[in-house]
Amino acid sequence: MLSRILGALSLLLAASRVAADASSYHINAICTCDQLMRWYNWTSGVWQDYWWESANMMSGLASLSMLDSNYNGTYFDVYANTFLVAGHTFGYQNFQDEYYDDEGWWANAWLDVYDLCQNPSYLEMAISLFNDIHASWPTVCGGGVYWRKSRDYIASIANELYIHLAAGLANRVPSDQKQTYLDAATAGWDWFWNSGVVTSDYFIVDGVNQTTCQPTGSIYTYNQGVILGAAVELYKATGNSTYLDLAGKIADAVTTPNSTLTSASGILEDGCDRQDDCSGDGEQFKGPFIKNLGKLQLVRNSDQWLNFITTNAQSIWNHDLNITNNACFVGDYWAGPYEPADASSQSVGLDALVAAYAVTK
Ligand SMILES: *[C@@H]1O[C@H](CO)[C@@H](O)[C@H](O)[C@H]1NC(C)=O
Ligand SMILES: *[C@@H]1O[C@H](CO)[C@@H](O)[C@H](O)[C@H]1NC(C)=O
Ligand SMILES: *[C@@H]1O[C@H](CO)[C@@H](O)[C@H](O)[C@H]1NC(C)=O
Ligand SMILES: *[C@@H]1O[C@H](CO)[C@@H](O)[C@H](O)[C@H]1NC(C)=O
Ligand SMILES: *[C@@H]1O[C@H](CO)[C@@H](O)[C@H](O)[C@H]1NC(C)=O
Ligand SMILES: *[C@@H]1O[C@H](CO)[C@@H](O)[C@H](O)[C@H]1NC(C)=O
């Protein structure tokens, strides 16, 4: 009882100290999360009208709750509601749609929610999505999964999510089922690194052209991120630190100031940030990078990554925030200036604050 009262007190304190300072990552994450929830639609089961992005938003709630036991349980009704209604809102059964990457976002998010709630339905949903994505392996380029069911492109992101999911399942299913998922994850990883999408300086291009089997496309933050989380899951499943060595090279490349995805002052930015034209999709990319960099930092400490995560979380609070009536709105441009937030920019800010909270806790 006492701990419940103390818990309630600390929540009250948190609510009244929204802007205490930029390094109060825990309090700032709670205020950011509270505003994100004001965009949740109980009828549709998603945030505003975002589909795959809502998977990441749901994962953000679960990630905060994992770190703060006062928040375990807070959003159980949200997960249950989304589980029941979100797919139907968009006309899909069991979160299966035309795009394998959408399915991968949802499946990995259900694993995060499963870790928190331990509800087996969420694990089963992730498995059913894995089976649907796995049915597209191998592509005509010697392995990998397609971007979408029309099989006209092989996207890096769909493959990273697939490896992450397979390794994540290997770590969560009963031990007699582990090997199947581990085999899928290692085959996915080996194919990915041989496909040509990873450049010699450890940036990842958008995908592989299924006509030429050659790597193609631009460099985005989310493609640098999901593979880090996949490496952490593979490391946990095998104890093989080679996965972390390779992930570390990608993380080092991105977190170097004045590089392909990072400003001279060390702030993460996609091409669309630099051109000031991120849409809902592009707005969402930075979140998976910083979230997964945080996971890597927790298993392999690097001062450069730690500094990067906290620098970005502080920049959000100092330059990319609008506090109105004690509600914290986070815009898309982490270096500022603030531009009006929506659920997508908000959830990406939450990912950064939760990552900073996790690595400094
Ligand atoms: C919530 O979702 C329902 C069902 O999709 C929709 O009809 C309604 O307009 C949404 N509400 C808001 C505030 O967007
Ligand atoms: C959260 O609460 C659920 C239900 O009470 C419990 O099963 C689970 O272990 C808790 N999760 C964490 C991370 O403490
Ligand atoms: C793939 O390569 C072929 C042959 O060069 C080209 O015609 C096609 O436009 C490419 N597809 C994509 C999606 O880039
Ligand atoms: C560890 O993983 C790497 C990358 O897949 C592989 O080349 C190596 O053989 C593995 N090491 C062991 C001891 O299994
Ligand atoms: C950033 O890098 C470019 C070369 O890529 C260089 O010309 C420029 O001076 C650098 N800026 C800073 C602030 O280091
Ligand atoms: C902050 O948000 C409020 C409410 O949406 C808005 O009225 C105000 O103009 C915003 N301030 C800035 C600096 O954008």
Side-chain angles (χ1 to χ4, degrees):
M1 190 58 182
L2 182 61
S3 73
R4 276 182 167 233
I5 292 170
L6 287 176
L9 253 179
S10 79
L11 287 181
L12 276 176
L13 275 176
S16 64
R17 288 175 50 213
V18 289
D21 69 68
S23 60
S24 301
Y25 309 120
H26 179 196
I27 293 168
N28 298 347
I30 288 173
C31 191
T32 301
C33 193
D34 288 348
Q35 176 51 37
L36 179 61
M37 282 311 299
R38 294 187 188 104
W39 280 305
Y40 183 69
N41 182 333
W42 286 91
T43 309
S44 65
V46 297
W47 283 262
Q48 294 181 322
D49 54 0
Y50 285 115
W51 173 235
W52 67 268
E53 294 91 342
S54 285
N56 288 344
M57 296 173 196
M58 182 175 78
S59 162
L61 309 186
S63 303
L64 175 58
S65 296
M66 284 294 276
L67 295 170
D68 179 350
S69 58
N70 290 320
Y71 262 58
N72 183 3
T74 305
Y75 303 117
F76 280 18
D77 51 352
V78 174
Y79 311 135
N81 184 65
T82 292
F83 190 82
L84 284 177
V85 305
H88 302 293
T89 298
F90 288 80
Y92 309 135
Q93 291 287 330
N94 295 325
F95 296 86
Q96 292 180 14
D97 69 3
E98 171 64 18
Y99 292 86
Y100 291 118
D101 56 344
D102 291 359
E103 296 188 6
W105 292 116
W106 278 110
N108 282 297
W110 286 120
L111 282 190
D112 290 338
V113 173
Y114 170 72
D115 284 347
L116 179 72
C117 309
Q118 299 292 313
N119 177 340
S121 301
Y122 301 148
L123 181 62
E124 283 157 20
M125 181 63 82
I127 290 172
S128 78
L129 286 164
F130 171 83
N131 290 334
D132 195 60
I133 303 166
H134 181 70
S136 121
W137 175 287
T139 71
V140 293
C141 298
V145 297
Y146 287 99
W147 176 40
R148 54 181 176 173
K149 290 178 181 171
S150 56
R151 300 192 169 211
D152 54 357
Y153 184 56
I154 304 165
S156 296
I157 193 62
N159 281 279
E160 295 181 33
L161 289 162
Y162 171 77
I163 302 163
H164 195 302
L165 175 59
L169 286 171
N171 288 325
R172 287 163 183 82
V173 296
S175 57
D176 63 338
Q177 295 163 34
K178 171 175 176 172
Q179 196 62 43
T180 309
Y181 297 107
L182 187 53
D183 288 347
T186 54
W189 176 274
D190 293 344
W191 176 82
F192 186 81
W193 284 84
N194 287 319
S195 69
V197 294
V198 187
T199 67
S200 58
D201 52 359
Y202 294 97
F203 286 95
I204 296 167
V205 299
D206 190 68
V208 171
N209 179 318
Q210 93 292 347
T211 307
T212 61
C213 292
Q214 292 301 308
T216 180
S218 303
I219 291 167
Y220 301 111
T221 52
Y222 73 158
N223 275 323
Q224 309 298 129
V226 174
I227 195 68
L228 307 184
V232 170
E233 292 288 351
L234 270 165
Y235 166 69
K236 287 181 177 166
T238 61
N240 183 341
S241 59
T242 304
Y243 297 115
L244 301 184
D245 297 341
L246 288 168
K249 292 186 192 299
I250 294 171
D252 284 345
V254 178
T255 56
T256 301
N258 197 22
S259 61
T260 306
L261 295 168
T262 294
S263 73
S265 51
I267 305 304
L268 186 66
E269 37 186 41
D270 275 292
C272 69
D273 289 300
R274 290 177 179 169
Q275 289 150 20
D276 195 7
D277 70 347
C278 289
S279 66
D281 273 6
E283 270 185 331
Q284 186 61 215
F285 290 175
K286 297 190 294 298
F289 177 76
I290 200 142
K291 174 194 179 92
N292 285 294
L293 180 65
K295 289 185 196 168
L296 181 63
Q297 170 68 16
L298 290 176
V299 295
R300 174 170 286 186
N301 180 60
S302 151
D303 288 347
Q304 179 171 317
W305 308 337
L306 175 64
N307 181 50
F308 182 87
I309 293 168
T310 55
T311 297
N312 276 273
Q314 291 182 29
S315 183
I316 286 171
W317 222 251
N318 287 327
H319 304 295
D320 188 25
L321 183 71
N322 177 345
I323 298 189
T324 300
N325 300 330
N326 276 347
C328 303
F329 294 85
V330 177
D332 178 57
Y333 306 109
W334 290 357
Y338 173 82
E339 287 184 8
D342 74 352
S344 187
S345 66
Q346 187 82 10
S347 75
V348 167
L350 178 64
D351 287 336
L353 296 165
V354 168
Y357 175 31
V359 299
T360 57
K361 203 169 178 258

